[in-house]
Amino acid sequence: MDRDQFMETIKGGACLVAGSKTHLYMHEMSQRALRYTAEINGKYHAPEELRRLFFELIGREYDDTFGLFPPFSTDYGLNITLGKRVFINSGCCFQDQGGIEIGDDCLIGQQVVIATLNHDLDPERRGNMFPAPVKIGNKVWIGAHATILPGVTIGDGAVVGAGAVVTKDVPENAIVAGVPAKIIKRIKE
């Protein structure tokens, strides 16, 4: 299995069977991500060097408008897409095998978790996983300690309150909070 084959499998949303070639590829690639994140998190880096390491981790072209405060954790890295002027605060954990897209001008608070895989509910097949992408629009602010679950889309201009667990799509210009997250206010009508 290679990256292109893996990406095709993920796009289709197929079940990732425990012990399969796809599953073993994910484990192999997690070692790559661990090497990069150990370097990112292991010592101080000037902002330019930190950006260089991050964009090598995600396999994308360098962008000098990006900001990151380590530590940062991911278990794949190569399925993260960022817009311009994105800031990721310290302690974030991105499980990106299913795909994470972050639009322009987004702020990601401290210790935010973005998950893109669900395990099978049947205990006999619990090792199997189902990918679903997370899409975050432009000018979104995600508060500290929020968790975004697989398959969620967050609309442009939305705010996710600190500690929220987002289980469903968030409309544009909505403020959501709570567990599970619910709309508490509209920014614009």
Side-chain angles (χ1 to χ4, degrees), residues 94-132:
F94 289 10
Q95 179 198 51
D96 67 295
Q97 288 95 336
I100 297 173
E101 295 178 22
I102 301 173
D104 295 337
D105 302 301
C106 289
L107 302 172
I108 311 296
Q110 293 176 325
Q111 297 184 355
V112 166
V113 172
I114 301 176
T116 65
L117 294 174
N118 271 322
H119 285 277
D120 199 306
L121 293 177
D122 182 340
E124 299 303 317
R125 294 189 297 269
R126 189 67 41 89
N128 294 348
M129 293 170 277
F130 300 91

Side-chain angles (χ1 to χ4, degrees), residues 27-160:
H27 280 280
E28 178 185 327
M29 294 308 290
S30 69
Q31 296 306 304
R32 176 193 171 278
L34 286 170
R35 282 192 304 275
Y36 274 102
T37 56
E39 178 64 25
I40 287 168
N41 300 330
K43 63 181 180 180
Y44 172 79
H45 297 283
E48 299 80 17
E49 177 67 6
L50 193 54
R51 279 192 287 272
R52 183 191 65 76
L53 287 167
F54 188 84
F55 282 94
E56 285 179 15
L57 166 66
I58 69 170
R60 308 279 182 205
E61 189 173 321
Y62 180 89
D63 174 14
D64 65 2
T65 68
F66 172 74
L68 172 70
F69 284 175
F72 174 80
S73 176
T74 186
D75 49 7
Y76 184 60
L78 293 170
N79 210 359
I80 299 171
T81 304
L82 301 176
K84 297 287 187 185
R85 297 168 301 282
V86 170
F87 175 72
I88 299 173
N89 214 325
S90 63
C92 289
C93 181
F94 289 10
Q95 179 198 51
D96 67 295
Q97 288 95 336
I100 297 173
E101 295 178 22
I102 301 173
D104 295 337
D105 302 301
C106 289
L107 302 172
I108 311 296
Q110 293 176 325
Q111 297 184 355
V112 166
V113 172
I114 301 176
T116 65
L117 294 174
N118 271 322
H119 285 277
D120 199 306
L121 293 177
D122 182 340
E124 299 303 317
R125 294 189 297 269
R126 189 67 41 89
N128 294 348
M129 293 170 277
F130 300 91
V134 169
K135 297 179 181 180
I136 300 170
N138 298 316
K139 299 183 180 180
V140 171
W141 173 22
I142 301 176
H145 296 270
T147 299
I148 315 300
L149 295 182
V152 167
T153 296
I154 300 175
D156 293 347
V159 176
V160 175

